[in-house]
Amino acid sequence: MNWQFPNDYILNLNYYWELDSSEAEVATVDQPLKVTLVSCTHLQIEFLPQIGLLTNVTSPRNLGTIVGWRQVTPSSWIENLGLSPENWLHLEFKIGKGNKIEAICRFLKVEVVTEEMIKLLA
């Protein structure tokens, strides 16, 4: 079987910079970003894990906006896949109230999405 390179994944995010350490206060101006995970080999999304079967849970006001991201080091994911930590990134994006996206990729490319770009995509 021939090796196929991993895919590039694009995350279109409305990023609100955190104003303090709590998830209750975020900036009021959205900053649309196009985040490309280059050569992504592993992607895991945990969205609304606290709701489960409950129906009366109210969503936090910043649900769906990235409130922080970090590189996970050391990474058991990279180690378990037998990849070199020098050549791969393990990234975690926090999306308020325990929601997150985790990925392993070669590198990360971030572009600010302008109003003109949004009009072209529409």
Side-chain angles (χ1 to χ4, degrees):
M1 181 158 98
N2 292 332
W3 168 254
Q4 290 185 321
F5 288 102
N7 296 316
D8 294 351
Y9 287 97
I10 295 175
L11 305 175
N12 291 303
L13 307 173
N14 240 1
Y15 191 91
Y16 289 79
W17 293 102
E18 240 182 305
L19 299 179
D20 62 16
S21 60
S22 76
E23 293 179 353
E25 185 179 2
V26 293
T28 57
V29 179
D30 62 332
Q31 302 166 40
L33 298 177
K34 176 183 173 184
V35 177
T36 306
L37 305 171
V38 178
S39 297
C40 184
T41 189
H42 189 87
L43 185 64
Q44 179 175 320
I45 299 170
E46 290 181 27
F47 199 62
L48 299 175
Q50 75 279 14
I51 291 180
L53 300 175
L54 303 176
T55 56
N56 294 335
V57 177
T58 57
S59 296
R61 71 182 183 92
N62 61 338
L63 183 64
T65 64
I66 301 293
V67 296
W69 53 17
R70 70 181 181 105
Q71 181 176 348
V72 179
T73 52
S75 168
S76 60
W77 286 13
I78 290 175
E79 185 179 307
N80 289 341
L81 291 171
L83 302 173
S84 166
E86 292 81 30
N87 297 327
W88 293 88
L89 298 173
H90 180 174
L91 301 172
E92 178 185 61
F93 300 85
K94 293 175 70 179
I95 314 173
K97 302 296 181 191
N99 301 292
K100 65 182 177 178
I101 298 171
E102 283 193 76
I104 294 179
C105 59
R106 288 263 189 203
F107 63 92
L108 179 73
K109 203 164 56 170
V110 180
E111 301 171 63
V112 176
V113 179
T114 63
E115 287 294 324
E116 292 92 29
M117 290 172 71
I118 293 172
K119 289 176 186 174
L120 289 174
L121 295 173

